[in-house]
Amino acid sequence: MALVFNNVTVPQSGNVIYNGTSLSAVKMGATEVWKRQKTVYPGAPVANTQNLGYGPYFTVTNNGSDIKVDAFGGTERGWGRVIHGPFSSAGYSKLYFSALRAYITNAFSKVSVSLGDINGNWVQRLIYHDTGESLGGYDVTFGSGDLFTINSANANYYLILEVDSGATARGLNATIQMNGCYLI
């Protein structure tokens, strides 16, 4: 939420300075009325893309403000990850997405969003779903009301979007589509 003070609007990405100190939050009494946020995406570049399955069955579409990571189950397994960063979580304890949709239409498939390192090793899983033998049916959208607590604040992280679609001849998929990630 933006802060309006003396007809000046301060967005969450802006700064509030009081007595020479940059504040991370502003309270009116006991009620928080503004909290600084940091943009991870768009902003943090794609640092690494790893195609871990059969090449043609993993795709990434990124226009700079919206990214779609997709794995298709064909005659082989589609599996890959996109790694954004690095970014520092210093001074922040939560993360949220303006819109992140994770969906699976295939059996033996997974989607996950994690904080981790440049090699794709996760430190903290934020979102994870595995269909197992069932035929997909997972379709969830996370928005600004879904807050994720960062377990190790004050760390340098990469945001990892990973999709894994089992091998079927039907070409079904596992997809993550995101258009904003923020620290607060």
Side-chain angles (χ1 to χ4, degrees):
M1 74 192 115
L3 173 68
V4 179
F5 183 75
N6 289 338
N7 292 325
V8 175
T9 301
V10 180
Q12 283 183 287
S13 59
N15 288 311
V16 173
I17 299 172
Y18 180 74
N19 286 339
T21 301
S22 182
L23 303 177
S24 61
V26 175
K27 292 184 177 183
M28 181 82 163
T31 304
E32 187 174 88
V33 294
W34 179 85
K35 185 164 185 127
R36 182 184 66 211
Q37 77 178 17
K38 178 179 179 180
T39 302
V40 174
Y41 181 85
V46 172
N48 198 355
T49 300
Q50 297 173 325
N51 188 341
L52 305 165
Y54 182 63
Y57 296 144
F58 171 68
T59 62
V60 177
T61 307
N62 183 10
N63 66 14
S65 62
D66 187 81
I67 188 164
K68 183 177 181 182
V69 184
D70 213 352
F72 304 88
T75 55
E76 300 291 334
R77 175 183 183 196
W79 177 27
R81 63 176 70 108
V82 173
I83 304 171
H84 291 278
F87 63 91
S88 172
S89 65
Y92 301 93
S93 61
K94 297 196 181 299
L95 177 144
Y96 75 90
F97 303 97
S98 59
L100 181 137
R101 181 178 179 210
Y103 59 96
I104 305 172
T105 58
N106 203 357
F108 303 104
S109 300
K110 302 173 190 76
V111 291
S112 72
V113 177
S114 307
L115 298 176
D117 67 22
I118 187 63
N119 297 315
N121 300 310
W122 58 272
V123 173
Q124 179 183 349
R125 284 232 165 120
L126 304 171
I127 299 164
Y128 178 78
H129 187 80
D130 182 344
T131 60
E133 293 183 32
S134 65
L135 183 60
Y138 181 76
D139 189 350
V140 177
T141 299
F142 299 90
S144 60
D146 300 303
L147 297 177
F148 298 88
T149 299
I150 299 171
N151 290 343
S152 298
N154 302 323
N156 289 315
Y157 286 116
Y158 290 83
L159 181 68
I160 303 167
L161 309 176
E162 186 170 353
V163 291
D164 181 357
S165 184
T168 68
R170 301 182 323 151
L172 300 175
N173 61 352
T175 303
I176 295 175
Q177 187 165 4
M178 176 183 73
N179 69 2
C181 179
Y182 305 91
L183 297 172
I184 54 172

